[in-house]
Amino acid sequence: MPDLERRFRIRGNDFVSAGEVSLEIQSILKQIGFHSALVRRISVCAYESEMNVVMHGGDGEALLKVSPESIILIFSDQGPGIPDIELAFKPGYSTANLAHREMGFGAGMGLPNIQKSADTLEVQTEKGQGTILTIGFELGGRSSG
Ligand SMILES: Nc1ncnc2c1ncn2[C@@H]1O[C@H](COP(=O)(O)OP(=O)(O)OP(=O)(O)O)[C@@H](O)[C@H]1O
Ligand SMILES: [Mg+2]
């Protein structure tokens, strides 16, 4: 039973609210009193995942689970799925459209940054079935900074 569990809705293509969920997650973790370096790593993962749902995934949600052992973020969406996961994780690879690029997105660095910042990462996706990203951070160990 996790100490804390919070669920957030994310709306596809809503660039006005985009980023609010990751800010909320950041503020919850700060308030609990987690180390700032850890909160920063988690915020990077939350922000990149949230933006990917907004830009590529369509409607979705985020789930934050905090337990004494770990912090888990689960981002899920009902979008088109990722046809080639290996390609999607290649730095610089992006299918962002012109409108996204004009807003400053589309560097193709979101997934590589999530991979670098997380302790564990699992991607479940299927064409036409959406995407689930499970991002883990271990607490208490050396990596909790
Ligand atoms: N939730 C998702 N649903 C469908 N496709 C996705 C999803 N997340 C990522 N992708 C695909 O993986 C590609 C790479 O994602 P990544 O976050 O690394 O870069 P980006 O979002 O294109 O650009 P950046 O994050 O640097 O602004 C995306 O361009 C998109 O094709
Ligand atoms: Mg991205």
Side-chain angles (χ1 to χ4, degrees):
M1 181 74 181
D3 284 349
L4 180 145
E5 196 168 310
R6 288 283 307 271
R7 197 179 292 270
F8 309 87
R9 302 213 44 170
I10 301 169
R11 275 203 309 264
N13 282 307
D14 181 354
F15 286 91
V16 176
S17 304
E20 282 177 7
V21 168
S22 41
L23 276 177
E24 177 84 24
I25 288 170
Q26 182 179 44
S27 109
I28 291 169
L29 296 175
K30 265 194 202 158
Q31 210 171 328
I32 295 174
F34 286 112
H35 197 285
S36 61
L38 175 64
V39 174
R40 208 171 304 131
R41 282 204 290 136
I42 297 171
S43 301
V44 166
C45 293
Y47 177 73
E48 295 294 353
S49 303
E50 180 182 3
M51 291 317 304
N52 279 353
V53 173
V54 172
M55 269 200 293
H56 312 294
D59 291 336
E61 62 171 46
L63 186 63
L64 167 69
K65 292 192 206 186
V66 181
S67 76
E69 296 79 32
S70 64
I71 297 171
I72 313 263
L73 288 174
I74 302 171
F75 281 84
S76 53
D77 65 62
Q78 293 91 51
I82 303 176
D84 185 337
I85 296 179
E86 204 182 316
L87 185 61
F89 272 86
K90 259 183 81 170
Y93 175 80
S94 176
T95 59
N97 64 30
L98 185 59
H100 297 149
R101 287 171 198 272
E102 280 173 348
M103 287 185 274
F105 302 109
M109 290 310 294
L111 291 175
N113 279 337
I114 294 168
Q115 186 149 55
K116 210 171 62 186
S117 303
D119 289 326
T120 61
L121 175 61
E122 194 191 307
V123 188
Q124 289 165 266
T125 185
E126 213 174 307
K127 211 172 164 207
Q129 299 293 309
T131 301
I132 305 172
L133 233 60
T134 305
I135 309 165
F137 303 87
E138 282 145 30
L139 299 176
R142 273 187 306 171
S143 60
S144 57

